[in-house]
Amino acid sequence: MIGQDAERLSRHYAVWQRLREARTRAREADDLTLLAYARDDLADLSLALTDFLRLHEPRDGSHFCPECSGTWARIPWPCPIWQNVEKSLGR
């Protein structure tokens, strides 16, 4: 159990670290360095966000988020996760 917790924390840290590095590159890197990382970073981040948002899509004609809803509360879709992404990325 301790080994699993340490591994999960390590993966958790690695995700935050990767996001920090991507933000830093986006702000500070010269154009050539940024281009070298952009293809992989954009593809990976886009795939991760797509998978994450799929978890929050209603299923089987429901109007509720399956991830945000629990035993005691059903959260209507778009849930806060979708609302935040739409606010950040929507045009």
Side-chain angles (χ1 to χ4, degrees):
M1 183 70 161
I2 292 174
Q4 290 174 339
D5 288 343
E7 184 179 327
R8 185 170 357 124
L9 284 174
S10 177
R11 286 192 312 265
H12 180 83
Y13 175 77
V15 168
W16 284 114
Q17 182 66 28
R18 177 114 186 253
L19 290 171
R20 274 192 298 277
E21 290 170 357
R23 278 193 310 272
T24 299
R25 274 195 298 275
R27 282 193 314 265
E28 299 173 5
D30 61 80
D31 290 346
L32 291 177
T33 302
L34 185 58
L35 284 173
Y37 286 99
R39 187 176 311 261
D40 288 337
D41 281 352
L42 285 174
D44 291 347
L45 291 171
S46 177
L47 179 61
L49 183 59
T50 299
D51 289 346
F52 181 68
L53 290 175
R54 272 198 192 110
L55 294 172
H56 292 268
E57 286 277 321
R59 296 184 187 106
D60 301 326
S62 171
H63 298 288
F64 300 96
C65 173
E67 288 296 309
C68 292
S69 298
T71 303
W72 305 108
R74 294 177 6 151
I75 307 300
W77 191 87
C79 65
I81 298 295
W82 261 99
Q83 290 173 18
N84 283 329
V85 171
E86 287 172 346
K87 182 179 173 186
S88 296
L89 299 179
R91 295 177 188 222

